[in-house]
Amino acid sequence: MDTNSSSSGQKRVPDVVRRYQRYLRLERNVSPNTLEAYMLDVGKLVTFLGAAGGDVLTCQLSDLSLFVASLGDIGIHPRSQCRVLSGIRSFFHYLQLDGYRDDDPTELLDSPQTGGHLPEVLSAAEVDLLENSIDLSKWEGQRNRAIIEVLFSCGLRVSELVSLRLSCLYAAEQFVRVLGKGGKERLVPISPRALRELELWFADRNQMAIKPGEEDYVFLNRRGAHLTRTMILIMVKRQAAEAGITKVISPHTLRHSFATALLEGGADLRAIQAMLGHESIGTTEIYMHLDTTALRREILEHHPRNRRRKP
């Protein structure tokens, strides 16, 4: 790291970071959660380089490799390291795009090995078990049942679910309009079963005192305000425990289960990508983990080398 040439660069860094933040917010239109995460990632790197007398405008690949190694040294999990690097790569892409750098040193930066761990998945029967364990005598019972069914039937992110509006439901056409990452909209089919669960919830919802400004949100808490992601997470985990499901699950498990069920049912990967709102088909490919028993059975049954000759 060239500390002499970086002294002037260090003075410019705060202004560059502010410009990057504005770029993410206004040009990339990223969500508030993504914006916060990316700025925290950049902050980690700026602090690390500054401690060694360097800066983001003059650092090299070797400096970034040391930064990645430092993340492991302080106990950050490889999967979390990959998320941090995603933010760092976005930042250096911006630096090159706006002319602050002629190169992008992250292009050759290796990502930590995560071991290819796949999240848990629930079968349709397990989702039924989850829903049937809900106590419908409680005021929130039907709401929670509708939440689980919509997550499983539509494959929504939890952030998309809590921001879902009544004006985005098209029951007659059987689809919902979803506002995804980066403010991008997509249309997702919704099953008749999910619509029935929503209709039952709306019967309870219509009896509530709803706070001004919250009238268009589909899912509300007992005070008449829209739910938060944390509320959904707590509810799903608590319900899994009551249903006797021992898998470690979260709201995202239902999204993962949605995609896996579609893939196993023969849906095209591109169609699944569109329904999930993934920009890259590579992100969707993580769902290609068909049950090994079923896959083995299919191979044995259909591969020409395994077919028995008829007498």
Side-chain angles (χ1 to χ4, degrees):
M1 189 180 295
D2 186 353
T3 55
N4 292 326
S5 61
S6 67
S7 58
S8 60
Q10 285 180 341
K11 297 177 183 178
R12 297 174 57 200
V13 167
D15 183 57
V16 172
V17 171
R18 281 192 295 271
R19 290 175 181 270
Y20 173 61
Q21 185 176 26
R22 187 161 58 247
Y23 161 78
L24 289 176
R25 187 174 61 251
L26 300 180
E27 296 189 39
R28 288 279 304 278
N29 193 29
V30 301
S31 70
N33 291 326
T34 300
L35 178 64
E36 181 183 7
Y38 275 20
M39 297 314 297
L40 285 173
D41 298 337
V42 171
K44 289 185 179 74
L45 178 63
V46 169
T47 300
F48 175 82
L49 294 174
D55 64 82
V56 295
L57 301 178
T58 60
C59 67
Q60 302 300 316
L61 176 62
S62 57
D63 303 316
L64 297 181
S65 297
L66 288 174
F67 171 69
V68 174
S70 74
L71 297 177
D73 291 342
I74 62 176
I76 296 180
H77 190 274
R79 187 170 295 277
S80 297
Q81 292 178 37
C82 288
R83 192 205 58 72
V84 172
L85 287 185
S86 176
I88 297 304
R89 287 191 171 97
S90 171
F91 180 55
F92 277 93
H93 174 74
Y94 164 77
L95 293 180
Q96 188 177 32
L97 186 69
D98 258 31
Y100 289 106
R101 293 187 61 117
D102 295 326
D103 65 331
D104 181 357
T106 65
E107 289 181 347
L108 299 176
L109 187 62
D110 292 329
S111 296
Q113 296 297 315
T114 61
H117 173 70
L118 290 169
E120 294 280 13
V121 61
L122 297 177
S123 65
E126 287 174 315
V127 175
D128 288 340
L129 183 64
L130 195 62
E131 292 180 359
N132 293 335
S133 67
I134 295 173
D135 185 354
L136 295 180
S137 67
K138 295 182 178 179
W139 83 268
E140 73 275 16
Q142 182 56 47
R143 182 204 66 184
N144 292 349
R145 189 178 172 100
I147 286 173
I148 291 172
E149 186 58 39
V150 169
L151 284 171
F152 179 60
S153 293
C154 300
L156 303 186
R157 300 178 178 95
V158 66
S159 58
E160 296 168 347
L161 180 99
V162 298
S163 61
L164 189 62
R165 309 288 185 123
L166 295 173
S167 55
C168 294
L169 294 177
Y170 300 87
E173 295 82 1
Q174 295 190 354
F175 70 84
V176 295
R177 181 161 48 89
V178 179
L179 186 64
K181 286 187 174 181
K184 294 183 178 179
E185 289 188 348
R186 68 183 189 278
L187 299 178
V188 180
I190 184 169
S191 68
R193 177 165 172 174
L195 288 171
R196 285 197 303 272
E197 297 295 348
L198 283 172
E199 287 176 5
L200 293 171
W201 155 238
F202 291 154
D204 295 335
R205 185 184 182 280
N206 291 339
Q207 307 301 316
M208 297 178 60
I210 301 175
K211 286 186 174 182
E214 304 285 293
E215 297 89 352
D216 199 30
Y217 285 100
V218 172
F219 296 110
L220 305 171
N221 60 28
R222 65 172 64 245
R223 294 181 298 278
H226 68 277
L227 300 175
T228 65
R229 296 187 305 164
T230 303
M231 291 175 184
I232 304 293
L233 174 63
I234 293 172
M235 182 274 288
V236 169
K237 286 187 172 294
R238 180 183 296 134
Q239 209 56 55
E242 292 183 9
I245 295 174
T246 57
K247 295 176 180 178
V248 179
I249 70 169
S250 69
H252 183 75
T253 306
L254 292 161
R255 175 173 162 88
H256 183 69
S257 304
F258 161 83
T260 303
L262 286 179
L263 191 64
E264 292 181 344
D268 180 76
L269 197 62
R270 290 287 180 182
I272 298 174
Q273 177 191 4
M275 284 186 280
L276 292 173
H278 287 160
E279 285 193 16
S280 168
I281 192 68
T283 307
T284 314
E285 286 174 350
I286 68 167
Y287 295 104
M288 295 183 66
H289 69 288
L290 292 172
D291 179 80
T292 53
T293 303
L295 182 60
R296 179 177 178 275
R297 184 173 63 247
E298 289 293 310
I299 292 174
L300 291 176
E301 182 178 348
H302 297 293
H303 194 281
R305 297 301 190 200
N306 297 322
R307 293 175 187 161
R308 292 186 177 182
R309 294 178 181 271
K310 293 184 179 180

